[in-house]
Amino acid sequence: MKVKKAIIPAAGFGTRNLPITKVVPKEMFPIQGKPAIHYVVEEAIQSGIEEILIIISRSKTSIIDYFDRSIELENFLKERNKSHLIHKIMPPSVHIQYLRQPVANGLGDALLLAEPFINDEPFVVLLPDDIFIDKECDLIQLIETFKQVHSSVVGVKYVEDDLLKNYGVIKENKVKDNLYEILDIVEKPQNHPPSNLAVVGRYVFNPDIFSYLKKVKPDKSGEVQLTAGLKGIIVDKKCFAKEVVGERYDIGTEVGYVKLIERMNINDGK
Ligand code: UTP
């Protein structure tokens, strides 16, 4: 079955990047003149996605404006002999819808709002604060794996010991090279992480994830965590992890953002 739909949750407050995220969503942080979320939308298109739902909050209307056409600006560029710039401001060639998460009650809560959009089809989730630089698009590989195993697939990446406490970390059973069955998943392990394989922000889900998310109770901070939904799947059925090869930059941290900008400049020979 073709995987045609994607959800991009972008309704978080981005507290680690304050104060700038008070007015500039981290999804709109510039990377060589384009906002981060544009790269994620391009990745989805490259992977064959035809419909995208971006989940936003009240303070993120700049994302809607960015992907909209600006006839006024197009006309201005035409009148001022700058028509060669128009291609830069055209929206990407994919159908994008938006939905507001009224309260930032966690990634799991944001995904639950998207259930009517998904309408019982498999779908991908791309977290827009994880930016990938890869020659071969990892999301394509995740979708291929999903088609082979007929189960939800989570992207994971090897992370050094000292950084594991920032991620969801899996306990795994190796199936073959780069493919693991997930036996358990621990969110931000402070001691004794179960492996060095940390979840990255790319997932391919069967729609049954919604029934598991609905059973999840909010955590101490009131958030419905996606990790808790994944734990539910693992109890009942199989869920797999595929190791991705691309370079991942977590722009939810200042260090990650700076490293990405440096990397892009090296790419450009600057
Ligand atoms: P994070 O865990 O990075 O949360 O969310 P955050 O609010 O963006 O940032 P910090 O931790 O406060 O610094 C991962 C992804 O899930 C989205 C975020 O926008 C981000 O893309 N998200 C998170 C939602 O859409 N809704 C939420 O309630 C929480």
Side-chain angles (χ1 to χ4, degrees):
M1 188 183 201
K2 196 166 184 311
V3 181
K4 292 182 295 195
K5 292 183 177 173
I7 302 174
I8 303 180
F13 275 113
T15 55
R16 285 169 296 163
N17 300 79
L18 282 170
I20 185 69
T21 42
K22 191 176 166 197
V23 289
V24 180
K26 65 180 163 183
E27 297 81 7
M28 295 299 285
F29 283 1
I31 303 166
Q32 296 196 324
K34 282 199 300 197
I37 196 166
H38 195 149
Y39 289 86
V40 176
V41 165
E42 283 175 345
E43 183 185 335
I45 296 171
Q46 198 188 345
S47 310
I49 295 300
E50 293 166 14
E51 286 179 66
I52 297 176
L53 178 72
I54 303 181
I55 301 177
I56 56 161
S57 62
R58 206 169 295 116
S59 59
K60 306 235 180 164
T61 46
S62 57
I63 297 177
I64 305 182
D65 292 341
Y66 178 78
F67 287 119
D68 199 2
R69 272 187 74 178
S70 171
I71 304 295
E72 191 190 352
L73 180 54
E74 285 172 36
N75 287 340
F76 175 87
L77 292 173
K78 277 183 211 151
E79 284 162 15
R80 305 290 164 103
N81 283 333
K82 293 181 178 176
S83 297
H84 61 285
L85 297 177
I86 289 179
H87 73 100
K88 287 191 171 208
I89 61 163
M90 294 313 273
S93 53
V94 68
H95 185 69
I96 304 181
Q97 295 185 38
Y98 302 89
L99 193 151
R100 267 194 190 184
Q101 185 184 21
V103 183
N105 278 339
L107 179 54
D109 177 75
L111 293 183
L112 272 172
L113 297 174
E115 189 178 9
F117 165 79
I118 293 304
N119 194 20
D120 217 21
E121 289 178 40
F123 63 100
V124 305
V125 173
L126 302 96
L127 301 191
D129 45 3
D130 266 343
I131 303 295
F132 277 85
I133 302 184
D134 41 3
K135 290 193 194 78
E136 343 237 309
C137 177
D138 275 312
L139 189 56
I140 296 177
Q141 306 302 323
L142 291 187
I143 294 172
E144 280 311 309
T145 306
F146 171 84
K147 288 178 184 165
Q148 286 159 15
V149 296
H150 304 290
S151 302
S152 293
V153 179
V154 174
V156 292
K157 198 160 175 63
Y158 182 92
V159 166
E160 296 296 343
D161 291 344
D162 54 330
L163 293 175
L164 287 169
K165 59 177 182 300
N166 302 316
Y167 301 101
V169 180
I170 63 163
K171 181 177 176 191
E172 82 292 8
N173 193 7
K174 187 168 177 174
V175 178
K176 58 179 178 178
D177 269 357
N178 301 332
L179 182 66
Y180 308 89
E181 184 185 342
I182 304 179
L183 303 179
D184 195 9
I185 180 161
V186 183
E187 188 60 30
K188 302 190 173 67
Q190 296 306 309
N191 308 299
H192 313 298
S195 73
N196 285 83
L197 293 171
V199 175
V200 298
R202 301 292 181 271
Y203 312 80
V204 190
F205 284 123
N206 271 315
D208 64 2
I209 179 69
F210 293 116
S211 59
Y212 292 98
L213 284 173
K214 282 176 196 162
K215 290 184 209 156
V216 173
K217 297 217 167 57
D219 65 10
K220 280 183 278 177
S221 53
E223 296 199 354
V224 175
Q225 298 292 354
L226 174 57
T227 309
L230 285 169
K231 272 176 177 282
I233 302 185
I234 295 159
V235 172
D236 283 355
K237 46 185 83 166
K238 288 187 189 297
C239 181
F240 291 88
K242 169 105 176 136
E243 203 170 341
V244 298
V245 294
E247 290 169 44
R248 185 270 293 266
Y249 294 87
D250 176 5
I251 63 160
T253 66
E254 185 150 357
V255 173
Y257 178 64
V258 169
K259 279 190 178 160
L260 174 61
I261 299 299
E262 283 171 0
R263 176 70 174 82
M264 296 294 262
N265 285 345
I266 291 169
N267 250 8
D268 245 24
K270 280 185 197 158

